[in-house]
Amino acid sequence: MSVNDDTTPPTTESSAPLDVSTPAPTAAANVPDLMKIGAMPINTQMDVETDILESVVFSETFCRFRLQNKGILHSNSKIVFALDTSSGSGADCILPANIGIHSVIDRAVLKIGTKTICETDGFNHFMQHRSSFVNPQHNKQRESVTSSRLMCRKWEYNLGSSQKSASGRTDSINEANDYTLDFGIDVDALNSASGSRDIDVHKYTLLNPTASVASGTGTSNFQITINDLFPFLKMNQLPLYMMKEEIDIELYFAKENKRGVSKGGVSADDTFAAKLIRNSTQMIADYIYYPQEIMTAYETANNDMSFTYVDYRLVKHTIDNSADESQSIILNVGGAGRVVNKLFFGLSLPDTKANPQRQGILNIYESFGNGEDAADDLGAVSHNIRYNDKFLYPIDITNNARLFHNMQQAEGSVPFISKDEYAGELGLISAQTIFGHKAFTDLETTNFWVEDRLNRNERVNSRGIEIYQTWGALTDDVLTMRCWLEIVKYATLKDGILQCYYA
């Protein structure tokens, strides 16, 4: 029969009318995936409801937010903080330039019912690594206001009286000997004395120096996105309306002197404290709603659903280099019986370091690398990984460029850091002061991370993962090595109850 033949019998009056009072059931294959972030294959209306949640428990060391079981939690929901420094020295203070407000949180935990679904320990140090992959222009135009991350670079051109030579002024819009941080402000170099230039950040990056908002100084509020707290939310959203258990976000705060940075020149006798302002500690939760029939159909089609995600496990190791000599370690960082995608680690000052806010513009959130100063030089570095009775690399890696390449391959993107900040190879950082701190001293070799992608797609055996690491020289100090493992987990949501397991 031809497809053009009109052989369909006409509809008679005795045919049953279509019941339009109830929507036709939606086939499971046609139900969009509401948990995935991105465009859906259908054109439908989406409503967003925003709630401002107060913490149900709050102290200077801990707070808890409880979410409502409604809608779908948007992964860009924010947690807002404000800090008050009036109880300390009262001096002008900013947040660490590389991580901003993320310095406040030491540990973040997502719980559903009594089960820990995701946990990021050492979160502030973790974000020192993750923030290096944020576009500097994004830092300059947005993050400087929202989270106080300020790491954007610009060339310092030879302008002004500080660049005079014996033959006179050598102003140039084409020549630059070094670079500095770009806060989006101009420096009046033409009217400044030689060597006296100092860049102060915008007023909105300052922490509140007084407890009295009525004085006119006010306070600055900064925010953290929940998909930074729990990285698996960058690709998935939580269907809260399908869950029958309570959903909590628990935050453990860093100590007061590890939250901000004092302006340079603060006396060693001054006390320093950056206290959280409770009334300004809130969660701005966005709940997404689709038409009721779509959300009901999705819940029906996914009554027993599962999804895979990654979680990070922190391993800390203390390296006592009081003897000021080279160090070679074979460190087991765990992972036995788990599927581990990658790991990364770095060296930094311990959390017990006295007066860390006067260490520099980054506070203690840095990872030491090779520097031009012999006292701060790691010397020759040798690196390898061993797991499942095999080495990851056939020959130990001793080249900094190869280590940088491995980090790029593991993350899938290039970190926005210079060779000076990674391994101190070029000496291009300006010697001018930034908020009273020397840029060259505080930024050089502060982002030396070693990262490896475990590319065999194997489960780690009972021996775990071993790091073979050698530093030819270390600073005369006690250092902390922090290593994170990216472990694969999966969760099941059945009849409103969520369970999580290691893959």
Side-chain angles (χ1 to χ4, degrees):
M1 180 178 65
S2 171
V3 294
N4 294 323
D5 291 344
D6 188 10
T7 57
T8 304
T11 303
T12 62
E13 293 183 359
S14 60
S15 300
L18 178 64
D19 184 5
V20 297
S21 60
T22 58
T26 305
N30 297 327
V31 178
D33 192 346
L34 304 183
M35 288 183 61
K36 295 296 182 183
I37 295 177
M40 294 197 303
I42 62 173
N43 185 14
T44 188
Q45 180 181 2
M46 178 182 72
D47 295 324
V48 179
E49 175 184 321
T50 300
D51 287 351
I52 299 179
L53 307 178
E54 302 289 341
S55 56
V56 296
V57 178
F58 180 87
S59 69
E60 275 296 319
T61 58
F62 174 81
C63 82
R64 177 187 294 123
F65 293 96
R66 178 153 294 171
L67 303 176
Q68 300 183 55
N69 298 71
K70 62 180 184 180
I72 301 171
L73 181 64
H74 198 293
S75 292
N76 281 331
S77 298
K78 316 289 185 183
I79 299 180
V80 181
F81 301 95
L83 295 172
D84 175 23
T85 61
S86 61
S87 61
S89 63
D92 287 343
C93 302
I94 63 170
L95 292 163
N98 54 348
I99 63 173
I101 192 61
H102 301 90
S103 65
V104 170
I105 300 177
D106 180 65
R107 180 182 171 211
V109 182
L110 174 64
K111 287 186 176 181
I112 298 181
T114 59
K115 301 170 288 291
T116 298
I117 305 302
C118 188
E119 177 182 3
T120 307
D121 202 359
F123 175 77
N124 36 23
H125 293 275
F126 175 86
M127 285 305 297
Q128 194 253 318
H129 176 260
R130 299 302 308 150
S131 294
S132 63
F133 294 90
V134 178
N135 191 304
Q137 289 300 317
H138 191 66
N139 281 340
K140 176 182 175 181
Q141 298 170 7
R142 180 177 177 83
E143 292 296 315
S144 60
V145 182
T146 57
S147 66
S148 194
R149 285 189 283 197
L150 308 172
M151 296 302 289
C152 180
R153 293 85 173 167
K154 68 176 180 180
W155 290 108
E156 187 183 25
Y157 290 98
N158 298 336
L159 296 174
S161 58
S162 63
Q163 298 295 338
K164 286 183 179 179
S165 65
S167 60
R169 190 181 296 265
T170 59
D171 291 353
S172 173
I173 61 172
N174 302 316
E175 298 179 2
N177 296 326
D178 42 36
Y179 73 88
T180 185
L181 295 186
D182 184 4
F183 299 130
I185 59 177
D186 294 326
V187 179
D188 186 7
L190 295 175
N191 297 318
S192 65
S194 176
S196 65
R197 285 179 292 169
D198 186 3
I199 295 180
D200 280 358
V201 295
H202 293 284
K203 183 177 180 180
Y204 49 67
T205 64
L206 290 174
L207 305 182
N208 184 21
T210 174
S212 175
V213 179
S215 64
T217 57
T219 183
S220 297
N221 292 283
F222 306 100
Q223 60 190 27
I224 296 176
T225 309
I226 60 171
N227 60 35
D228 282 334
L229 292 172
F230 312 109
F232 85 95
L233 290 178
K234 291 184 181 295
M235 299 301 298
N236 296 283
Q237 298 177 137
L238 291 177
L240 303 185
Y241 77 102
M242 296 172 59
M243 300 178 181
K244 297 179 181 179
E245 300 172 291
E246 296 175 339
I247 303 101
D248 293 330
I249 293 178
E250 297 181 349
L251 304 177
Y252 296 81
F253 298 127
K255 294 182 179 180
E256 296 172 5
N257 62 348
K258 296 180 179 62
R259 299 172 182 173
V261 175
S262 300
K263 188 169 182 176
V266 175
S267 170
D269 295 331
D270 286 341
T271 59
F272 181 88
K275 291 185 177 295
L276 289 161
I277 301 176
R278 176 168 186 171
N279 293 337
S280 298
T281 304
Q282 300 170 324
M283 180 173 181
I284 304 175
D286 293 331
Y287 300 97
I288 302 173
Y289 294 90
Y290 295 99
Q292 184 62 42
E293 60 271 16
I294 292 181
M295 297 185 72
T296 301
Y298 182 80
E299 183 177 9
T300 303
N302 297 277
N303 184 50
D304 186 0
M305 66 180 297
S306 62
F307 60 94
T308 304
Y309 64 100
V310 296
D311 200 3
Y312 291 88
R313 286 291 175 264
L314 171 64
V315 179
K316 291 198 294 186
H317 177 67
T318 299
I319 299 177
D320 189 350
N321 197 49
S322 302
D324 193 14
E325 58 187 14
S326 63
Q327 291 278 351
S328 295
I329 64 171
I330 301 176
L331 178 64
N332 192 307
V333 293
R338 314 299 184 203
V339 178
V340 181
N341 289 334
K342 61 186 178 183
L343 61 87
F344 58 92
F345 66 89
L347 286 176
S348 63
L349 293 174
D351 290 334
T352 56
K353 184 70 176 180
N355 298 324
Q357 77 280 0
R358 280 186 285 276
Q359 296 298 320
I361 199 171
L362 307 182
N363 204 298
I364 62 172
Y365 306 109
E366 55 189 11
S367 182
F368 297 139
N370 291 314
E372 292 186 349
D373 186 354
D376 298 327
D377 202 332
L378 293 182
V381 175
S382 176
H383 169 70
N384 211 332
I385 296 291
R386 182 180 177 88
Y387 73 105
N388 290 356
D389 302 322
K390 296 180 181 179
F391 282 101
L392 181 62
Y393 307 107
I395 301 176
D396 293 350
I397 298 176
T398 58
N399 186 288
N400 289 331
R402 175 66 189 278
L403 293 174
F404 187 90
H405 170 78
N406 289 345
M407 179 169 61
Q408 172 191 343
Q409 291 295 104
E411 290 293 333
S413 62
V414 180
F416 295 97
I417 55 178
S418 69
K419 280 189 174 182
D420 289 292
E421 295 169 47
Y422 187 73
E425 293 185 6
L426 297 178
L428 292 179
I429 304 178
S430 171
Q432 75 175 19
T433 57
I434 299 175
F435 204 70
H437 294 271
K438 292 290 185 180
F440 179 83
T441 304
D442 292 353
L443 297 180
E444 189 194 36
T445 66
T446 56
N447 225 315
F448 186 78
W449 291 90
V450 178
E451 185 166 6
D452 302 285
R453 181 180 60 185
L454 308 186
N455 52 16
R456 300 183 195 143
N457 197 25
E458 299 174 348
R459 185 180 301 277
V460 179
N461 62 17
S462 59
R463 186 172 179 176
I465 301 172
E466 295 175 331
I467 296 177
Y468 286 68
Q469 186 73 20
T470 297
W471 296 281
L474 286 176
T475 57
D476 183 10
D477 208 337
V478 177
L479 303 175
T480 298
M481 176 181 172
R482 293 177 175 86
C483 177
W484 285 266
L485 306 180
E486 185 181 275
I487 298 177
V488 180
K489 300 178 70 174
Y490 72 95
T492 60
L493 180 60
K494 183 176 182 181
D495 298 328
I497 306 300
L498 190 140
Q499 301 285 347
C500 64
Y501 310 90
Y502 288 104

